[in-house]
Amino acid sequence: MKTASRPEPAELPPSFDWLVYARHPRNGDLHGFDEADATHHYSTYGCDEGRICGAIDGRGAFLDLIPRGAALLEIGPFCTPCFTPRTHRVRYLDAFPTEQLRLIVGELSWGRPDLVPEIDYVWRGGPYAELIQERFDAVFSSHNFEHQPCLITHLRDIASVLAPGRRLFLIIPDRRYCFDHYLPESTIADVLDAFIERRSKHSARSILEHRLLLTHNETEAHWNGDHGPDPRRRAPSAEIVRIIADNLRSPSVPETYIDTHAWQFVPESFGLLMRTLKAAGLTPFEVERVYPTLRLSNEFYAVLRLPPVAPEAGNAA
C-alpha cells in the first residue's frame, strides 16, 4: 500500500474557546466575563441554546480544516460532494458506480445527476484495504456514518486506508433536530451487538424504526420546540404495518441492502461512545474534537485521529 512522508497536521481549534464565546456579537453582552464565567454560562445556557463557542462556527469553517491539496478520500458523496479536484486530491468512494448513482439521484425531486462525481472506488461490502491501495492524508464523511451497519468494522476499514497520525472528519446529524428526534440515542450495547453479529446489512429493527417512528425534518421547528406528533403515541396504518412486515419477511430481503439510519447521536453521546471503543481496544481512533451543534443546524462535527503508528488492517474479529 502506497504511503509517503507527510508533514504533521496543524493543531485544530478547541471545541470551546471562552474568548470567542464571551465576545461573539451573537451571544449578547458577555464581554465582562472571565474564563470561569464564560465556561459556566456556556454549560448552563449556551450549549443547549446552540450559541457559537469557537472558531468552528458552521460547516464552512469545519471543511476548511482539511488543507487544500491534501490527498483526501470522501465517503458517500452522492450528488453533493463537499470537495472537488479543484482544491484537493480527492477520491470518492460509494456503494454505487457513477452511472447507477446518477440514475438514483435522477429519481429524486431535488436530485442533480450532473453533480454526481466520478466514483473512484465502488464498495461492495468487502474490506477497504482490498479495494484501495493507498493511504490518505484525510478521510471525510458527511451524513454517512449513521448509515453504517457496523460502526466498529467501518472505523477499522477507514483506519486501514488512512495514513498514521491522520484524521477522520465527520459531519453527523444531531437526532434532536431531524426526523430521528423520537428515536433513542444509540448505546454501547447497540454498537457491540452489531459487531458481535458481524452485521453487514441493517437490522430489521433499524429499518422498521425508519419506516414507522420518524417525525418531520424541519430543523428550525425542532429548535423552536415543535417536534411534531410523537409516532410512538399513535398507531400507524394497519395496512402499512402489514406491507412492511410482509416485505421484510420476503426470502429476498437477507440478500438485499436496504439503506437507513442505524445510529442516532448527539455530540456528547457520540464522544462517549468513541472514547469507550478506543479504551476497549475496539478502534484505533482517538477523539480529537467534537464540535457542538449550533442553533438552527441539524448536524455536529467530529474529528477522530489515528496514532502515529499505523494500526493493523483487517483486525476485525
Side-chain angles (χ1 to χ4, degrees):
M1 179 173 287
K2 294 186 292 182
T3 186
S5 177
R6 297 169 165 94
E8 280 297 305
E11 183 75 13
L12 297 178
S15 300
F16 175 76
D17 184 329
W18 76 270
L19 285 172
V20 172
Y21 183 70
R23 297 175 182 176
H24 198 282
R26 293 188 195 172
N27 290 341
D29 187 15
L30 307 180
H31 288 73
F33 281 15
D34 60 16
E35 182 174 3
D37 292 334
T39 302
H40 175 73
H41 189 278
Y42 178 72
S43 63
T44 305
Y45 306 106
C47 183
D48 287 342
E49 294 171 354
R51 298 195 187 195
I52 292 173
C53 62
I56 306 305
D57 57 2
R59 177 181 277 227
F62 182 71
L63 297 180
D64 285 344
L65 295 178
I66 300 179
R68 283 176 170 257
L72 171 66
L73 177 66
E74 181 170 350
I75 297 174
F78 204 57
C79 66
T80 55
C82 291
F83 297 91
T84 73
R86 294 192 301 273
T87 58
H88 296 75
R89 289 181 289 137
V90 62
R91 298 289 183 268
Y92 301 106
L93 179 147
D94 205 282
F96 301 100
T98 306
E99 292 308 316
Q100 186 177 355
L101 195 56
R102 287 174 178 159
L103 291 174
I104 294 170
V105 169
E107 294 177 354
L108 303 173
S109 61
W110 54 270
R112 288 282 305 275
D114 57 306
L115 297 182
V116 173
E118 291 292 332
I119 303 302
D120 299 281
Y121 306 109
V122 179
W123 180 68
R124 299 298 193 189
Y128 282 15
E130 294 180 3
L131 179 66
I132 302 171
Q133 301 303 311
E134 62 179 304
R135 289 187 181 269
F136 294 90
D137 296 322
V139 175
F140 172 79
S141 173
S142 175
H143 289 249
N144 183 275
F145 194 71
E146 69 279 3
H147 290 263
Q148 301 303 318
C150 178
L151 294 183
I152 294 174
T153 299
H154 183 58
L155 288 168
R156 291 179 174 185
D157 270 339
I158 292 172
S160 72
V161 298
L162 186 59
R166 300 297 149 155
R167 292 166 171 147
L168 166 60
F169 295 83
L170 297 166
I171 300 180
I172 301 171
D174 186 321
R175 71 150 192 88
R176 297 172 294 181
Y177 308 113
C178 70
F179 50 60
D180 283 341
H181 177 85
Y182 288 108
L183 297 179
E185 292 165 22
S186 300
T187 69
I188 187 62
D190 299 322
V191 175
L192 292 177
D193 183 53
F195 180 61
I196 291 166
E197 287 190 356
R198 293 176 168 83
R199 195 173 295 159
S200 60
K201 294 181 174 64
H202 292 297
S203 68
R205 182 182 182 88
S206 291
I207 297 168
L208 288 167
E209 286 177 337
H210 265 254
R211 299 298 186 271
L212 300 172
L213 299 178
L214 297 189
T215 185
H216 69 77
N217 206 36
E218 299 299 323
T219 300
E220 184 173 0
H222 282 300
W223 272 100
N224 291 330
D226 174 11
H227 308 302
D230 187 342
R232 301 166 301 177
R233 300 289 182 265
R234 55 186 170 88
S237 159
E239 180 67 10
I240 290 175
V241 170
R242 185 190 64 76
I243 291 172
I244 292 174
D246 287 347
N247 287 344
L248 289 181
R249 285 174 59 85
S250 168
S252 65
V253 165
E255 305 303 321
T256 304
Y257 178 81
I258 301 174
D259 191 37
T260 191
H261 278 199
W263 312 99
Q264 286 74 37
F265 303 109
V266 300
E268 295 77 12
S269 70
F270 173 82
L272 176 62
L273 277 174
M274 294 301 107
R275 293 184 182 95
T276 301
L277 294 178
K278 170 62 176 175
L282 293 171
T283 175
F285 282 102
E286 297 177 351
V287 178
E288 188 169 12
R289 296 285 189 275
V290 178
Y291 295 105
T293 308
L294 300 177
R295 180 163 178 78
L296 302 184
S297 172
N298 67 356
E299 62 190 23
F300 63 93
Y301 315 118
V303 183
L304 308 182
R305 189 169 181 177
L306 284 183
V309 176
E312 293 183 9
N315 59 342

